[in-house]
Amino acid sequence: MRVGILTGGGDCPGLNAVIRAVVRKGTMFYGDSILGFEEGWRGVLENRFQLLDLDSTPGIIHRGGTILRTSRTNPFKDPQGLERVKATFTVNHLDALIAIGGDDTLGVALKLNQAGLKLVGVPKTIDNDLAGTDVCFGFDTAVNIATEAVDRLHTTAEAHNRIIVVEVMGRDAGWIATYSGIAGGADVVLIPEKPINLDQVCDLLQRRHGRGKYFSIVVVAEGAQLADQIGQTTQGTQVDEFGHARLGGIGGRLAAEIEKRTGFETRMVNLGHIQRGGTPTAFDRVLATRYGVQAIDMVHQGEFGRMASLQGQKLVSVPLEDALGKNRKVDPEIYDIASVFFG
Ligand code: F6P
């Protein structure tokens, strides 16, 4: 078969491991030709690809980013988009396309599938909030990076009797904040699922200081909102092709309020894209490899309009519809565990 592959949306560690697995199993077991489209859907619109084989994909399992590069291009923004995508399928005799991405990229895959093209999805988001699967690759790496940052910030916060607010990724769900908060021993964790009550946050910090602890770490997800805030904290008004604003700044607002209300000296660190860069953990390399093998198997089993999915310990496939439009929120039980250590 002739199988296309692309990576769309924000990058995350493990994308190359998926590509490597698709190429390995596709070429060695099925005799496929694999066409790697560049920069997400932009490459499909522009018919820009590289042929991927064992010679072009060695030594990439440990590399972050994506050898195909990525973009947030939405082909349906172009009135001719569908026809252009169809033309790319036709001219290259493409039998199927594997789209590795989150809600936006897979939403496009579903629409294309409904238009008669053969699409398979692989779930990807650092935020770990895609429905239809238990875990997305890249999340574990991000949690490890954020945890290391929290560990490091502990020592400097302690040395200076300071509060340090750490802003981490998490647009609509606070998975990274909750996991790195538990692992790093954060004193307060704030997530988009729960509006921030400033009085409560300051009470917790004061209670902790009342116990003779003169420093604290607060982890906040970028998408978290103050209780009286309308909308998330954004950096400007621009939106991407899928309508998402650039988030960022809640950590700074929070730090200023905490300092004002408690009188404790406070600093803020935004980890930003550091969380998405660099080497994937072993867990993410294995998970991404499993997703890649599952995706190419799905192509050969004719499971189109579906997504590779981790359910418990097993790789299965689910309809793309199951993943889309519904955010997977942080499990309240896990957040309750984090909160045992607050204040
Ligand atoms: O959707 C994943 C994500 O990492 C979000 O957590 C974050 O808000 C966004 O992407 C950042 O996007 P960009 O890389 O375009 O700045």
Side-chain angles (χ1 to χ4, degrees), residues 10-11 72 125-127 169-171 222 240 245-247 273 276:
D11 73 322
R72 295 192 190 274
T125 166
I126 206 90
D127 291 357
M169 283 187 171
R171 180 171 280 275
E222 62 180 352
D240 67 18
R246 224 172 118 193
L247 297 188
H273 292 80
R276 294 217 315 239

